[in-house]
Amino acid sequence: QVQLVESGGGLVQPGGSLRLSCEASKSIFSINVMGWYRQAPGKQRELVATISVGGSRNYADSVKGRSTISRDTAKNTVYLQMNSLKPEDTAVYYCNARTVYPGLGYSDDYWGQGTQVTVSS
């Protein structure tokens, strides 16, 4: 069981930046993968970025080069730094924690409540 709390969303102008935070209720080293997803009205939830317990990072093509996922293990927190924001980045951003059980053939996913990001001039 993992509880996740996101913060840092808000209204920004195109080209602006913001940093999203996700605080977990347990050590992020006990979670296989943490990541950020986003969902706009009428659209499917899509992956933005992930970071594994080993530090491996992956990014969606739409944000690669202008976003950075990072972590502060002492604070059990994962961050998403987003720069050069575009109107199409507007969405509710959700933090995700995935615990994998390879011997049992399944994984558990936990989600935060979401934080709204709006990019508009």
Side-chain angles (χ1 to χ4, degrees):
Q1 185 74 32
V2 183
Q3 292 176 292
L4 305 169
V5 180
E6 304 103 326
S7 61
L11 175 64
V12 296
Q13 293 184 332
S17 301
L18 80 171
R19 187 182 71 166
L20 307 182
S21 299
C22 173
E23 184 177 3
S25 62
K26 62 190 296 185
S27 172
I28 59 177
F29 283 126
S30 68
I31 303 168
N32 294 102
V33 183
M34 294 194 68
W36 287 95
Y37 292 71
R38 65 187 182 188
Q39 187 170 24
K43 296 184 178 180
Q44 294 272 51
R45 187 172 297 184
E46 63 178 358
L47 184 148
V48 179
T50 62
I51 183 167
S52 73
V53 66
S56 180
R57 295 168 169 83
N58 291 105
Y59 299 93
D61 289 341
S62 59
V63 304
K64 189 173 183 179
R66 58 190 183 93
S67 297
T68 303
I69 188 168
S70 61
R71 63 191 179 192
D72 184 337
T73 57
K75 297 180 178 180
N76 294 336
T77 299
V78 172
Y79 304 97
L80 181 67
Q81 177 70 42
M82 302 185 69
N83 304 319
S84 302
L85 285 163
K86 306 173 182 179
E88 51 262 46
D89 293 319
T90 297
V92 177
Y93 284 69
Y94 296 92
C95 184
N96 167 261
R98 172 168 289 183
T99 301
V100 179
Y101 304 94
L104 300 176
Y106 74 93
S107 62
D108 287 339
D109 282 296
Y110 304 91
W111 298 92
Q113 83 285 357
T115 184
Q116 176 73 48
V117 171
T118 302
V119 184
S120 177
S121 59

